[in-house]
Amino acid sequence: MDRRRFIGGTAAAAATLAIRPGYAADTYPSHPITLINPFPPGGAADKVGQPLKAVLEPIVKQPVIIENKTGAAGAVGAQYAASAKPDGYTLLIHITSISGFAEVDKLFGRTPKFTRADFIPIARYVADPCVFLVNDKQPYKTLKEFVDDAKKKPDQLVFSSSGLYGALHIPTAQFMKASGVKMRHLPTRGGGPALTAFLGNNSQVLISSISASLAQIKAGKARPLAMLGAKRSKALPDVPTMKELGYDVEYYLWVGLFAPKGTPDAVIVKLREVSRQGAHTDAFKKAMNNLGQELDYMDQPEFAKFWDADAAKIEAAVKSIGEQIDKQAAASRISRLYRGEC
């Protein structure tokens, strides 16, 4: 074969491969996949992400690397993933709060750094009903005892969260609005640090996912007073729900997998396939059971519909928090004015 014929044949083959539909998906994945966790270790995303990594690796026959990119209650990692090359090699594992970041930016008059439209939902793994906790330094045995005492000393008790407007701030704000209780807020960089602050008594109250707090509940370091799910949890059957106790508060901390907008359809199909396969392995289901919850899997079509409905609730909650913060700031300014401090 002469050199010109070889070069021409090679170029033609390359052109054929370049236009062949789904070619990239034929070999996907051909190298490691990075799973962005926007929170520190110990939170709900980590509790689901680690066993997910373990079951996916033998299926995709490539390493799955979990990379923590923390900050701004999960917004930093989400923004990083939204800006990543949409080739299926950088994915995002995130929680309920992903729905509210654009609304937070709007509250502060900022152009949103990313929106829900920048992601393709792939799968939801769990929808963990949250639990209202006090630490073992507190005397409260029931939610009524807590509410009655907290109302006598507004802004003295402290609650920690995964960050301002984050997934653990939102349900606590909903509870305070429903109950009339006022507490001070200690925002941290994630669910793990929020739990650490709570166990160290830097905060006295924490609304947490069951998966992140069950070990501490069993150890007697965290006392559950109420569930935020529609029904009692199998893991904590003796703990009443908020609705049983007269408070219209229902909240779940779900964990899902996302790809950047623009990821090829064929790659998304492959990701759905391996995600569904991994989530339904005995190993993954056992890991979830050990965390006190059951697999609550949603494939892309169902998850996308769920996400739309859930996002509307989260956005409304973010607006409500913003309004309350504005009112508190205004009241504080008026108080300082009367005292001659401004």
Side-chain angles (χ1 to χ4, degrees):
M1 180 182 294
D2 63 38
R3 183 171 181 274
R4 284 180 299 176
R5 288 177 63 191
F6 174 77
I7 292 173
T10 302
T16 300
L17 291 177
I19 63 173
R20 179 183 168 192
Y23 172 70
D26 288 348
T27 56
Y28 174 83
S30 61
H31 56 270
I33 296 172
T34 298
L35 192 58
I36 301 298
N37 176 4
F39 303 99
D46 185 59
K47 296 288 188 181
V48 173
Q50 292 294 342
L52 180 64
K53 160 190 161 68
V55 297
L56 285 183
E57 286 184 330
I59 296 173
V60 299
K61 296 180 173 57
Q62 293 290 342
V64 177
I65 301 164
I66 294 182
E67 186 173 341
N68 296 83
K69 288 194 174 294
T70 66
V76 170
Q79 183 180 356
Y80 178 87
S83 304
K85 185 178 179 180
D87 56 6
Y89 289 98
T90 301
L91 305 175
L92 174 69
I93 187 162
H94 215 300
I95 61 177
T96 312
S97 57
I98 192 174
S99 304
F101 292 126
E103 193 61 45
V104 172
D105 280 334
K106 292 176 187 176
L107 284 177
F108 287 92
R110 303 187 297 245
T111 300
K113 300 177 182 67
F114 60 87
T115 68
R116 294 198 306 120
D118 289 310
F119 298 100
I120 299 172
I122 296 170
R124 190 192 78 176
Y125 300 101
V126 295
D128 197 357
C130 284
V131 57
F132 185 101
L133 303 168
V134 293
N135 66 30
D136 58 357
K137 310 292 192 304
Q138 309 312 309
Y140 315 112
K141 299 297 191 294
T142 66
L143 190 65
K144 184 179 186 307
E145 290 178 4
F146 173 84
V147 170
D148 289 347
D149 192 50
K151 285 183 175 180
K152 295 175 185 175
K153 46 185 183 185
D155 293 321
Q156 291 186 36
L157 292 169
V158 177
F159 74 93
S160 53
S161 82
S162 51
L164 189 63
Y165 297 102
L168 305 185
H169 183 194
I170 288 171
T172 314
Q174 291 174 329
F175 165 72
M176 289 194 293
K177 183 176 182 179
S179 65
V181 165
K182 294 181 179 179
M183 296 184 285
R184 287 189 289 126
H185 184 197
L186 173 61
T188 70
R189 291 177 63 86
L195 180 61
T196 299
F198 169 80
L199 295 174
N201 203 35
N202 292 309
S203 70
Q204 294 77 52
V205 176
L206 176 67
I207 289 183
S208 170
S209 65
I210 295 177
S211 60
S213 58
L214 187 60
Q216 306 299 336
I217 293 172
K218 289 181 175 180
K221 296 180 179 180
R223 187 179 308 122
L225 300 185
M227 295 299 307
L228 277 71
K231 58 185 180 180
R232 296 194 182 198
S233 167
K234 291 181 180 179
L236 300 168
D238 296 329
V239 181
T241 67
M242 285 278 181
K243 290 190 175 182
E244 284 181 62
L245 299 174
Y247 300 106
D248 188 18
V249 181
E250 184 177 339
Y251 185 86
Y252 301 86
L253 201 159
W254 53 262
V255 180
L257 184 67
F258 302 85
K261 178 183 68 176
T263 302
D265 290 345
V267 173
I268 295 297
V269 169
K270 180 70 172 180
L271 285 169
R272 288 173 59 189
E273 176 187 327
V274 301
S275 175
R276 182 170 55 249
Q277 185 178 344
H280 288 89
T281 60
D282 290 341
F284 188 79
K285 288 188 285 188
K286 182 179 179 181
M288 295 302 97
N289 289 336
N290 288 341
L291 295 172
Q293 59 185 300
E294 297 179 3
L295 179 69
D296 198 352
Y297 192 81
M298 284 186 177
D299 194 10
Q300 186 188 47
E302 188 182 7
F303 182 29
K305 184 177 180 180
F306 165 84
W307 193 24
D308 286 341
D310 192 67
K313 298 176 184 178
I314 299 304
E315 289 168 359
V318 167
K319 289 178 183 177
S320 178
I321 293 172
E323 291 169 359
Q324 291 302 314
I325 289 176
D326 287 344
K327 289 178 182 178
Q328 291 167 4
S332 177
R333 286 195 297 271
I334 292 171
S335 177
R336 293 199 306 274
L337 182 63
Y338 276 113
R339 294 197 303 266
E341 296 177 5
C342 60

